[in-house]
Amino acid sequence: MSQHTATHRRTVAATAAAAAALLAFTACSTPSTGTDPAEAAPGVTDDTVTIGTHQPLTGPAAAGYSSISAATQAYFDYVNENGGINGRAIEYLVKDDGYNPATTQTVVRELVQEDEVFAILNGLGTPTHTSVLDYLNQNEVPDLFVASGSTSWNQPDKYPFTFAFNADYVVEGAALAQYAVDESPDAVVCLLGQDDDFGDEVVEGAELVLGEGGLAEVQRYSVSNQDVTAQIGAMQAAGCEVNLLATVNGFTALAVGTAAKLGYFPKWFSSSSGGDYPTLVGFLGEDLAPKLLQGFTSTNYLPFSPDGEWTALFRQINDEYNDGAPFDGNTVYGMSVGYLFAEALAAAGDDPTRQGLVDAISSGDLVGNGILPLSFGSDSHAAYLGVGITTVDQGVQDFVGTTYALEGDEVATVEAEPVPLEGEGIPGAE
């Protein structure tokens, strides 16, 4: 086990305890089913597999992320029209939690107890998904490919039914800090981060490279306060030259825009969670964004290059099955999640069970469509342990050819290994 994961488990103890308290009445009223997962397959019929998710369709995270589930649905529509997986169509139930943990608990219980879904897929958000983590595992519901970079999802002994999707925040923080050191070795490096595990873990990763206290200034924000003037002003006063961002897209744009108003123009290095250029353009405007985001640096682990074969397929699916919605990093993310679930379902066989689905992922045989191999295995529920570096140049965001992986507590430069497109993007297709 890597040290960064062990460290995080200590830091989330309070969060987990709070979530357990919130779920206490649920655990009492809805105990584990007691059924053998090999004998029960809720949500599965001869013709369909029904799964569900909680997403912020409204609330503080909606502007940056509400389009993800629509992209996943569009991918499933494409698969279903082409015969489904093992002859079954995928039905995807999306429920809005408003990025509110209490609402997340309500909608996830509805999905499990009333809708009887086969699995939960890509539930979004660290605080929101933490609130249902115990419940899903106690009830032996596959909790797949969580939409958050928290290392909480990689605890196979404690949470055997939960699997990550994002590269974790420690990996991203370490990669951003390493790129800052490699490109600007004498720069003053600082960080603006969300005031939760997201910010904590990016700091943790950055300090693996910079050393404890190596960040000259660390400022935190709350998603409930749409004003970061004080934080950006403090970073300007501290002489910060490279600012790492543990921010969601809306707060990335807010930070960049606020700095510009203050006449402050540092280099911005963002986590993938807040680094999607088309989404940022939506916040900053088409006139201002290209100027403020020239040279903007971010991490990614998915195939979003403008001339890539996966991008071409996903753009086609978006046009045909998603009402021509704007095509951006959220589109690629949502469809990549759908592809990985389809791959896992295909591997689970003609008569899928919940345990069989978990076993298929834990086998380590899944490939996904990322730029690096997946890390799933019997003792790892992490997805990607490395990321590529992207930059924005003249309004185009693409990989620069630098890829980092976290090996233990050391950052290593590695070669990207993009997964080629096969079977028209449908697992099991000939």
Side-chain angles (χ1 to χ4, degrees), residues 179-218:
Y179 191 68
V181 168
D182 290 347
E183 295 297 307
S184 305
D186 298 322
V188 178
V189 182
C190 304
L191 183 141
L192 173 67
Q194 200 161 291
D195 61 350
D196 57 18
D197 290 348
F198 183 8
D200 293 343
E201 292 190 349
V202 174
V203 169
E204 182 182 337
E207 289 186 342
L208 290 177
V209 175
L210 303 173
E212 186 174 355
L215 291 162
E217 183 75 19
V218 175

PDB file of all heavy atoms in Angstrom, residues 179-218:
ATOM      1  N   TYR A 179       5.727  18.963 -12.642  1.00  0.00           N
ATOM      2  CA  TYR A 179       5.806  19.728 -13.890  1.00  0.00           C
ATOM      3  C   TYR A 179       6.220  21.173 -13.613  1.00  0.00           C
ATOM      4  O   TYR A 179       6.998  21.764 -14.382  1.00  0.00           O
ATOM      5  CB  TYR A 179       4.472  19.684 -14.621  1.00  0.00           C
ATOM      6  CG  TYR A 179       4.537  20.219 -16.031  1.00  0.00           C
ATOM      7  CD1 TYR A 179       5.248  19.542 -17.018  1.00  0.00           C
ATOM      8  CD2 TYR A 179       3.883  21.396 -16.388  1.00  0.00           C
ATOM      9  CE1 TYR A 179       5.320  20.014 -18.323  1.00  0.00           C
ATOM     10  CE2 TYR A 179       3.942  21.883 -17.692  1.00  0.00           C
ATOM     11  CZ  TYR A 179       4.661  21.192 -18.652  1.00  0.00           C
ATOM     12  OH  TYR A 179       4.731  21.679 -19.934  1.00  0.00           O
ATOM     13  N   ALA A 180       5.751  21.728 -12.522  1.00  0.00           N
ATOM     14  CA  ALA A 180       6.159  23.081 -12.144  1.00  0.00           C
ATOM     15  C   ALA A 180       7.661  23.138 -11.881  1.00  0.00           C
ATOM     16  O   ALA A 180       8.355  24.064 -12.335  1.00  0.00           O
ATOM     17  CB  ALA A 180       5.388  23.540 -10.905  1.00  0.00           C
ATOM     18  N   VAL A 181       8.170  22.156 -11.167  1.00  0.00           N
ATOM     19  CA  VAL A 181       9.604  22.112 -10.873  1.00  0.00           C
ATOM     20  C   VAL A 181      10.414  21.911 -12.153  1.00  0.00           C
ATOM     21  O   VAL A 181      11.456  22.542 -12.355  1.00  0.00           O
ATOM     22  CB  VAL A 181       9.901  20.989  -9.857  1.00  0.00           C
ATOM     23  CG1 VAL A 181      11.397  20.732  -9.752  1.00  0.00           C
ATOM     24  CG2 VAL A 181       9.325  21.341  -8.494  1.00  0.00           C
ATOM     25  N   ASP A 182       9.919  21.030 -13.027  1.00  0.00           N
ATOM     26  CA  ASP A 182      10.648  20.736 -14.260  1.00  0.00           C
ATOM     27  C   ASP A 182      10.683  21.941 -15.193  1.00  0.00           C
ATOM     28  O   ASP A 182      11.703  22.198 -15.859  1.00  0.00           O
ATOM     29  CB  ASP A 182       9.997  19.551 -14.986  1.00  0.00           C
ATOM     30  CG  ASP A 182      10.213  18.233 -14.253  1.00  0.00           C
ATOM     31  OD1 ASP A 182      11.056  18.187 -13.330  1.00  0.00           O
ATOM     32  OD2 ASP A 182       9.516  17.257 -14.604  1.00  0.00           O
ATOM     33  N   GLU A 183       9.578  22.666 -15.271  1.00  0.00           N
ATOM     34  CA  GLU A 183       9.468  23.770 -16.221  1.00  0.00           C
ATOM     35  C   GLU A 183       9.920  25.103 -15.643  1.00  0.00           C
ATOM     36  O   GLU A 183      10.431  25.957 -16.380  1.00  0.00           O
ATOM     37  CB  GLU A 183       8.015  23.890 -16.711  1.00  0.00           C
ATOM     38  CG  GLU A 183       7.536  22.700 -17.516  1.00  0.00           C
ATOM     39  CD  GLU A 183       8.317  22.522 -18.806  1.00  0.00           C
ATOM     40  OE1 GLU A 183       8.418  23.486 -19.590  1.00  0.00           O
ATOM     41  OE2 GLU A 183       8.855  21.406 -19.019  1.00  0.00           O
ATOM     42  N   SER A 184       9.721  25.305 -14.355  1.00  0.00           N
ATOM     43  CA  SER A 184      10.060  26.588 -13.719  1.00  0.00           C
ATOM     44  C   SER A 184      10.716  26.307 -12.372  1.00  0.00           C
ATOM     45  O   SER A 184      10.118  26.519 -11.306  1.00  0.00           O
ATOM     46  CB  SER A 184       8.803  27.445 -13.534  1.00  0.00           C
ATOM     47  OG  SER A 184       8.123  27.632 -14.755  1.00  0.00           O
ATOM     48  N   PRO A 185      11.950  25.808 -12.386  1.00  0.00           N
ATOM     49  CA  PRO A 185      12.565  25.317 -11.142  1.00  0.00           C
ATOM     50  C   PRO A 185      12.739  26.363 -10.050  1.00  0.00           C
ATOM     51  O   PRO A 185      12.816  26.003  -8.875  1.00  0.00           O
ATOM     52  CB  PRO A 185      13.922  24.780 -11.622  1.00  0.00           C
ATOM     53  CG  PRO A 185      14.162  25.430 -12.940  1.00  0.00           C
ATOM     54  CD  PRO A 185      12.824  25.633 -13.551  1.00  0.00           C
ATOM     55  N   ASP A 186      12.792  27.630 -10.399  1.00  0.00           N
ATOM     56  CA  ASP A 186      12.999  28.665  -9.388  1.00  0.00           C
ATOM     57  C   ASP A 186      11.723  29.419  -9.037  1.00  0.00           C
ATOM     58  O   ASP A 186      11.756  30.398  -8.289  1.00  0.00           O
ATOM     59  CB  ASP A 186      14.054  29.664  -9.885  1.00  0.00           C
ATOM     60  CG  ASP A 186      15.413  29.013 -10.121  1.00  0.00           C
ATOM     61  OD1 ASP A 186      15.786  28.133  -9.312  1.00  0.00           O
ATOM     62  OD2 ASP A 186      16.069  29.358 -11.117  1.00  0.00           O
ATOM     63  N   ALA A 187      10.598  28.992  -9.550  1.00  0.00           N
ATOM     64  CA  ALA A 187       9.345  29.719  -9.342  1.00  0.00           C
ATOM     65  C   ALA A 187       8.817  29.523  -7.916  1.00  0.00           C
ATOM     66  O   ALA A 187       9.060  28.499  -7.271  1.00  0.00           O
ATOM     67  CB  ALA A 187       8.300  29.254 -10.347  1.00  0.00           C
ATOM     68  N   VAL A 188       8.071  30.519  -7.462  1.00  0.00           N
ATOM     69  CA  VAL A 188       7.365  30.433  -6.181  1.00  0.00           C
ATOM     70  C   VAL A 188       6.042  29.722  -6.444  1.00  0.00           C
ATOM     71  O   VAL A 188       5.189  30.217  -7.189  1.00  0.00           O
ATOM     72  CB  VAL A 188       7.107  31.834  -5.588  1.00  0.00           C
ATOM     73  CG1 VAL A 188       6.329  31.719  -4.278  1.00  0.00           C
ATOM     74  CG2 VAL A 188       8.420  32.564  -5.372  1.00  0.00           C
ATOM     75  N   VAL A 189       5.884  28.532  -5.847  1.00  0.00           N
ATOM     76  CA  VAL A 189       4.713  27.690  -6.114  1.00  0.00           C
ATOM     77  C   VAL A 189       3.742  27.780  -4.943  1.00  0.00           C
ATOM     78  O   VAL A 189       4.137  27.621  -3.780  1.00  0.00           O
ATOM     79  CB  VAL A 189       5.130  26.224  -6.349  1.00  0.00           C
ATOM     80  CG1 VAL A 189       3.905  25.369  -6.670  1.00  0.00           C
ATOM     81  CG2 VAL A 189       6.155  26.139  -7.475  1.00  0.00           C
ATOM     82  N   CYS A 190       2.472  28.013  -5.261  1.00  0.00           N
ATOM     83  CA  CYS A 190       1.424  28.146  -4.249  1.00  0.00           C
ATOM     84  C   CYS A 190       0.225  27.301  -4.636  1.00  0.00           C
ATOM     85  O   CYS A 190       0.242  26.637  -5.680  1.00  0.00           O
ATOM     86  CB  CYS A 190       1.012  29.618  -4.105  1.00  0.00           C
ATOM     87  SG  CYS A 190       2.396  30.730  -3.715  1.00  0.00           S
ATOM     88  N   LEU A 191      -0.826  27.321  -3.815  1.00  0.00           N
ATOM     89  CA  LEU A 191      -1.987  26.481  -4.093  1.00  0.00           C
ATOM     90  C   LEU A 191      -3.261  27.118  -3.578  1.00  0.00           C
ATOM     91  O   LEU A 191      -3.304  27.659  -2.470  1.00  0.00           O
ATOM     92  CB  LEU A 191      -1.805  25.102  -3.461  1.00  0.00           C
ATOM     93  CG  LEU A 191      -2.918  24.076  -3.713  1.00  0.00           C
ATOM     94  CD1 LEU A 191      -2.336  22.679  -3.926  1.00  0.00           C
ATOM     95  CD2 LEU A 191      -3.944  24.044  -2.565  1.00  0.00           C
ATOM     96  N   LEU A 192      -4.297  27.039  -4.407  1.00  0.00           N
ATOM     97  CA  LEU A 192      -5.668  27.375  -4.001  1.00  0.00           C
ATOM     98  C   LEU A 192      -6.470  26.094  -4.072  1.00  0.00           C
ATOM     99  O   LEU A 192      -6.496  25.427  -5.117  1.00  0.00           O
ATOM    100  CB  LEU A 192      -6.277  28.419  -4.943  1.00  0.00           C
ATOM    101  CG  LEU A 192      -7.764  28.728  -4.727  1.00  0.00           C
ATOM    102  CD1 LEU A 192      -7.991  29.420  -3.391  1.00  0.00           C
ATOM    103  CD2 LEU A 192      -8.325  29.566  -5.877  1.00  0.00           C
ATOM    104  N   GLY A 193      -7.139  25.739  -2.964  1.00  0.00           N
ATOM    105  CA  GLY A 193      -7.840  24.459  -2.952  1.00  0.00           C
ATOM    106  C   GLY A 193      -9.155  24.506  -2.209  1.00  0.00           C
ATOM    107  O   GLY A 193      -9.367  25.338  -1.312  1.00  0.00           O
ATOM    108  N   GLN A 194     -10.042  23.585  -2.585  1.00  0.00           N
ATOM    109  CA  GLN A 194     -11.317  23.420  -1.900  1.00  0.00           C
ATOM    110  C   GLN A 194     -11.048  22.983  -0.461  1.00  0.00           C
ATOM    111  O   GLN A 194     -10.083  22.264  -0.190  1.00  0.00           O
ATOM    112  CB  GLN A 194     -12.150  22.385  -2.661  1.00  0.00           C
ATOM    113  CG  GLN A 194     -13.630  22.425  -2.384  1.00  0.00           C
ATOM    114  CD  GLN A 194     -14.426  21.734  -3.478  1.00  0.00           C
ATOM    115  OE1 GLN A 194     -14.501  22.227  -4.594  1.00  0.00           O
ATOM    116  NE2 GLN A 194     -15.021  20.592  -3.163  1.00  0.00           N
ATOM    117  N   ASP A 195     -11.925  23.396   0.452  1.00  0.00           N
ATOM    118  CA  ASP A 195     -11.673  23.149   1.875  1.00  0.00           C
ATOM    119  C   ASP A 195     -12.200  21.786   2.322  1.00  0.00           C
ATOM    120  O   ASP A 195     -12.955  21.670   3.287  1.00  0.00           O
ATOM    121  CB  ASP A 195     -12.278  24.273   2.729  1.00  0.00           C
ATOM    122  CG  ASP A 195     -13.787  24.395   2.571  1.00  0.00           C
ATOM    123  OD1 ASP A 195     -14.358  23.743   1.659  1.00  0.00           O
ATOM    124  OD2 ASP A 195     -14.408  25.132   3.356  1.00  0.00           O
ATOM    125  N   ASP A 196     -11.783  20.741   1.607  1.00  0.00           N
ATOM    126  CA  ASP A 196     -12.171  19.375   1.952  1.00  0.00           C
ATOM    127  C   ASP A 196     -11.076  18.427   1.486  1.00  0.00           C
ATOM    128  O   ASP A 196      -9.937  18.859   1.238  1.00  0.00           O
ATOM    129  CB  ASP A 196     -13.538  19.020   1.353  1.00  0.00           C
ATOM    130  CG  ASP A 196     -13.596  19.189  -0.167  1.00  0.00           C
ATOM    131  OD1 ASP A 196     -12.533  19.247  -0.817  1.00  0.00           O
ATOM    132  OD2 ASP A 196     -14.720  19.262  -0.713  1.00  0.00           O
ATOM    133  N   ASP A 197     -11.396  17.145   1.341  1.00  0.00           N
ATOM    134  CA  ASP A 197     -10.390  16.162   0.944  1.00  0.00           C
ATOM    135  C   ASP A 197      -9.749  16.497  -0.401  1.00  0.00           C
ATOM    136  O   ASP A 197      -8.585  16.158  -0.636  1.00  0.00           O
ATOM    137  CB  ASP A 197     -11.010  14.769   0.852  1.00  0.00           C
ATOM    138  CG  ASP A 197     -11.387  14.209   2.204  1.00  0.00           C
ATOM    139  OD1 ASP A 197     -10.970  14.790   3.217  1.00  0.00           O
ATOM    140  OD2 ASP A 197     -12.109  13.193   2.255  1.00  0.00           O
ATOM    141  N   PHE A 198     -10.508  17.113  -1.283  1.00  0.00           N
ATOM    142  CA  PHE A 198      -9.983  17.517  -2.585  1.00  0.00           C
ATOM    143  C   PHE A 198      -8.743  18.384  -2.390  1.00  0.00           C
ATOM    144  O   PHE A 198      -7.641  18.072  -2.881  1.00  0.00           O
ATOM    145  CB  PHE A 198     -11.091  18.264  -3.338  1.00  0.00           C
ATOM    146  CG  PHE A 198     -10.753  18.707  -4.742  1.00  0.00           C
ATOM    147  CD1 PHE A 198      -9.584  18.326  -5.387  1.00  0.00           C
ATOM    148  CD2 PHE A 198     -11.650  19.515  -5.433  1.00  0.00           C
ATOM    149  CE1 PHE A 198      -9.303  18.742  -6.696  1.00  0.00           C
ATOM    150  CE2 PHE A 198     -11.382  19.935  -6.732  1.00  0.00           C
ATOM    151  CZ  PHE A 198     -10.204  19.562  -7.348  1.00  0.00           C
ATOM    152  N   GLY A 199      -8.894  19.465  -1.659  1.00  0.00           N
ATOM    153  CA  GLY A 199      -7.752  20.339  -1.406  1.00  0.00           C
ATOM    154  C   GLY A 199      -6.666  19.664  -0.596  1.00  0.00           C
ATOM    155  O   GLY A 199      -5.475  19.810  -0.888  1.00  0.00           O
ATOM    156  N   ASP A 200      -7.067  18.911   0.424  1.00  0.00           N
ATOM    157  CA  ASP A 200      -6.088  18.251   1.293  1.00  0.00           C
ATOM    158  C   ASP A 200      -5.172  17.329   0.498  1.00  0.00           C
ATOM    159  O   ASP A 200      -3.946  17.309   0.698  1.00  0.00           O
ATOM    160  CB  ASP A 200      -6.792  17.418   2.365  1.00  0.00           C
ATOM    161  CG  ASP A 200      -7.555  18.257   3.377  1.00  0.00           C
ATOM    162  OD1 ASP A 200      -7.306  19.474   3.460  1.00  0.00           O
ATOM    163  OD2 ASP A 200      -8.415  17.684   4.080  1.00  0.00           O
ATOM    164  N   GLU A 201      -5.752  16.553  -0.401  1.00  0.00           N
ATOM    165  CA  GLU A 201      -4.968  15.538  -1.091  1.00  0.00           C
ATOM    166  C   GLU A 201      -4.097  16.121  -2.200  1.00  0.00           C
ATOM    167  O   GLU A 201      -3.009  15.599  -2.477  1.00  0.00           O
ATOM    168  CB  GLU A 201      -5.891  14.447  -1.631  1.00  0.00           C
ATOM    169  CG  GLU A 201      -6.527  13.643  -0.517  1.00  0.00           C
ATOM    170  CD  GLU A 201      -7.246  12.403  -1.010  1.00  0.00           C
ATOM    171  OE1 GLU A 201      -7.444  12.261  -2.232  1.00  0.00           O
ATOM    172  OE2 GLU A 201      -7.597  11.566  -0.166  1.00  0.00           O
ATOM    173  N   VAL A 202      -4.543  17.202  -2.840  1.00  0.00           N
ATOM    174  CA  VAL A 202      -3.665  17.857  -3.806  1.00  0.00           C
ATOM    175  C   VAL A 202      -2.466  18.473  -3.083  1.00  0.00           C
ATOM    176  O   VAL A 202      -1.329  18.399  -3.571  1.00  0.00           O
ATOM    177  CB  VAL A 202      -4.432  18.905  -4.638  1.00  0.00           C
ATOM    178  CG1 VAL A 202      -3.476  19.677  -5.544  1.00  0.00           C
ATOM    179  CG2 VAL A 202      -5.501  18.226  -5.495  1.00  0.00           C
ATOM    180  N   VAL A 203      -2.686  19.054  -1.904  1.00  0.00           N
ATOM    181  CA  VAL A 203      -1.569  19.541  -1.094  1.00  0.00           C
ATOM    182  C   VAL A 203      -0.630  18.394  -0.755  1.00  0.00           C
ATOM    183  O   VAL A 203       0.601  18.501  -0.879  1.00  0.00           O
ATOM    184  CB  VAL A 203      -2.080  20.209   0.203  1.00  0.00           C
ATOM    185  CG1 VAL A 203      -0.919  20.477   1.166  1.00  0.00           C
ATOM    186  CG2 VAL A 203      -2.805  21.519  -0.102  1.00  0.00           C
ATOM    187  N   GLU A 204      -1.204  17.280  -0.329  1.00  0.00           N
ATOM    188  CA  GLU A 204      -0.389  16.107   0.023  1.00  0.00           C
ATOM    189  C   GLU A 204       0.485  15.672  -1.143  1.00  0.00           C
ATOM    190  O   GLU A 204       1.681  15.392  -0.986  1.00  0.00           O
ATOM    191  CB  GLU A 204      -1.309  14.969   0.454  1.00  0.00           C
ATOM    192  CG  GLU A 204      -0.584  13.716   0.902  1.00  0.00           C
ATOM    193  CD  GLU A 204      -1.547  12.597   1.286  1.00  0.00           C
ATOM    194  OE1 GLU A 204      -2.709  12.882   1.622  1.00  0.00           O
ATOM    195  OE2 GLU A 204      -1.122  11.427   1.234  1.00  0.00           O
ATOM    196  N   GLY A 205      -0.104  15.608  -2.351  1.00  0.00           N
ATOM    197  CA  GLY A 205       0.663  15.216  -3.520  1.00  0.00           C
ATOM    198  C   GLY A 205       1.745  16.215  -3.868  1.00  0.00           C
ATOM    199  O   GLY A 205       2.880  15.838  -4.186  1.00  0.00           O
ATOM    200  N   ALA A 206       1.410  17.497  -3.805  1.00  0.00           N
ATOM    201  CA  ALA A 206       2.395  18.527  -4.120  1.00  0.00           C
ATOM    202  C   ALA A 206       3.585  18.463  -3.171  1.00  0.00           C
ATOM    203  O   ALA A 206       4.747  18.634  -3.579  1.00  0.00           O
ATOM    204  CB  ALA A 206       1.745  19.901  -4.063  1.00  0.00           C
ATOM    205  N   GLU A 207       3.309  18.179  -1.894  1.00  0.00           N
ATOM    206  CA  GLU A 207       4.393  18.140  -0.905  1.00  0.00           C
ATOM    207  C   GLU A 207       5.263  16.897  -1.045  1.00  0.00           C
ATOM    208  O   GLU A 207       6.393  16.879  -0.539  1.00  0.00           O
ATOM    209  CB  GLU A 207       3.816  18.249   0.503  1.00  0.00           C
ATOM    210  CG  GLU A 207       3.277  19.652   0.799  1.00  0.00           C
ATOM    211  CD  GLU A 207       2.824  19.831   2.237  1.00  0.00           C
ATOM    212  OE1 GLU A 207       2.590  18.807   2.930  1.00  0.00           O
ATOM    213  OE2 GLU A 207       2.715  20.994   2.677  1.00  0.00           O
ATOM    214  N   LEU A 208       4.777  15.867  -1.738  1.00  0.00           N
ATOM    215  CA  LEU A 208       5.655  14.744  -2.039  1.00  0.00           C
ATOM    216  C   LEU A 208       6.817  15.185  -2.919  1.00  0.00           C
ATOM    217  O   LEU A 208       7.924  14.636  -2.853  1.00  0.00           O
ATOM    218  CB  LEU A 208       4.878  13.626  -2.748  1.00  0.00           C
ATOM    219  CG  LEU A 208       3.852  12.855  -1.921  1.00  0.00           C
ATOM    220  CD1 LEU A 208       3.131  11.836  -2.801  1.00  0.00           C
ATOM    221  CD2 LEU A 208       4.508  12.159  -0.736  1.00  0.00           C
ATOM    222  N   VAL A 209       6.563  16.201  -3.748  1.00  0.00           N
ATOM    223  CA  VAL A 209       7.585  16.732  -4.656  1.00  0.00           C
ATOM    224  C   VAL A 209       8.334  17.900  -4.035  1.00  0.00           C
ATOM    225  O   VAL A 209       9.570  17.963  -4.073  1.00  0.00           O
ATOM    226  CB  VAL A 209       6.933  17.168  -5.987  1.00  0.00           C
ATOM    227  CG1 VAL A 209       7.960  17.838  -6.899  1.00  0.00           C
ATOM    228  CG2 VAL A 209       6.288  15.976  -6.683  1.00  0.00           C
ATOM    229  N   LEU A 210       7.584  18.808  -3.445  1.00  0.00           N
ATOM    230  CA  LEU A 210       8.173  20.062  -2.956  1.00  0.00           C
ATOM    231  C   LEU A 210       8.690  19.972  -1.525  1.00  0.00           C
ATOM    232  O   LEU A 210       9.421  20.855  -1.080  1.00  0.00           O
ATOM    233  CB  LEU A 210       7.133  21.189  -3.039  1.00  0.00           C
ATOM    234  CG  LEU A 210       6.535  21.453  -4.430  1.00  0.00           C
ATOM    235  CD1 LEU A 210       5.409  22.472  -4.315  1.00  0.00           C
ATOM    236  CD2 LEU A 210       7.611  21.935  -5.392  1.00  0.00           C
ATOM    237  N   GLY A 211       8.309  18.928  -0.823  1.00  0.00           N
ATOM    238  CA  GLY A 211       8.649  18.805   0.580  1.00  0.00           C
ATOM    239  C   GLY A 211       7.605  19.480   1.445  1.00  0.00           C
ATOM    240  O   GLY A 211       6.874  20.377   0.994  1.00  0.00           O
ATOM    241  N   GLU A 212       7.525  19.056   2.702  1.00  0.00           N
ATOM    242  CA  GLU A 212       6.560  19.663   3.614  1.00  0.00           C
ATOM    243  C   GLU A 212       6.867  21.148   3.760  1.00  0.00           C
ATOM    244  O   GLU A 212       8.006  21.543   4.001  1.00  0.00           O
ATOM    245  CB  GLU A 212       6.623  18.975   4.976  1.00  0.00           C
ATOM    246  CG  GLU A 212       5.549  19.437   5.940  1.00  0.00           C
ATOM    247  CD  GLU A 212       5.539  18.638   7.231  1.00  0.00           C
ATOM    248  OE1 GLU A 212       6.316  17.651   7.327  1.00  0.00           O
ATOM    249  OE2 GLU A 212       4.764  18.991   8.134  1.00  0.00           O
ATOM    250  N   GLY A 213       5.835  21.967   3.574  1.00  0.00           N
ATOM    251  CA  GLY A 213       6.035  23.408   3.627  1.00  0.00           C
ATOM    252  C   GLY A 213       6.595  23.983   2.349  1.00  0.00           C
ATOM    253  O   GLY A 213       6.901  25.185   2.286  1.00  0.00           O
ATOM    254  N   GLY A 214       6.718  23.155   1.308  1.00  0.00           N
ATOM    255  CA  GLY A 214       7.303  23.631   0.052  1.00  0.00           C
ATOM    256  C   GLY A 214       6.395  24.546  -0.745  1.00  0.00           C
ATOM    257  O   GLY A 214       6.853  25.240  -1.655  1.00  0.00           O
ATOM    258  N   LEU A 215       5.114  24.546  -0.422  1.00  0.00           N
ATOM    259  CA  LEU A 215       4.188  25.496  -1.033  1.00  0.00           C
ATOM    260  C   LEU A 215       4.299  26.820  -0.282  1.00  0.00           C
ATOM    261  O   LEU A 215       4.088  26.878   0.932  1.00  0.00           O
ATOM    262  CB  LEU A 215       2.754  24.969  -0.966  1.00  0.00           C
ATOM    263  CG  LEU A 215       2.449  23.754  -1.851  1.00  0.00           C
ATOM    264  CD1 LEU A 215       1.173  23.053  -1.391  1.00  0.00           C
ATOM    265  CD2 LEU A 215       2.325  24.173  -3.320  1.00  0.00           C
ATOM    266  N   ALA A 216       4.635  27.880  -1.006  1.00  0.00           N
ATOM    267  CA  ALA A 216       4.864  29.169  -0.352  1.00  0.00           C
ATOM    268  C   ALA A 216       3.598  29.743   0.265  1.00  0.00           C
ATOM    269  O   ALA A 216       3.664  30.483   1.259  1.00  0.00           O
ATOM    270  CB  ALA A 216       5.453  30.163  -1.355  1.00  0.00           C
ATOM    271  N   GLU A 217       2.458  29.430  -0.299  1.00  0.00           N
ATOM    272  CA  GLU A 217       1.171  29.933   0.206  1.00  0.00           C
ATOM    273  C   GLU A 217       0.099  28.916  -0.132  1.00  0.00           C
ATOM    274  O   GLU A 217       0.054  28.383  -1.249  1.00  0.00           O
ATOM    275  CB  GLU A 217       0.832  31.285  -0.432  1.00  0.00           C
ATOM    276  CG  GLU A 217      -0.437  31.933   0.063  1.00  0.00           C
ATOM    277  CD  GLU A 217      -0.313  32.558   1.450  1.00  0.00           C
ATOM    278  OE1 GLU A 217       0.837  32.800   1.878  1.00  0.00           O
ATOM    279  OE2 GLU A 217      -1.350  32.812   2.090  1.00  0.00           O
ATOM    280  N   VAL A 218      -0.768  28.614   0.836  1.00  0.00           N
ATOM    281  CA  VAL A 218      -1.911  27.728   0.607  1.00  0.00           C
ATOM    282  C   VAL A 218      -3.160  28.463   1.043  1.00  0.00           C
ATOM    283  O   VAL A 218      -3.274  28.892   2.194  1.00  0.00           O
ATOM    284  CB  VAL A 218      -1.787  26.409   1.388  1.00  0.00           C
ATOM    285  CG1 VAL A 218      -3.062  25.570   1.221  1.00  0.00           C
ATOM    286  CG2 VAL A 218      -0.569  25.613   0.926  1.00  0.00           C
TER     287      VAL A 218
END
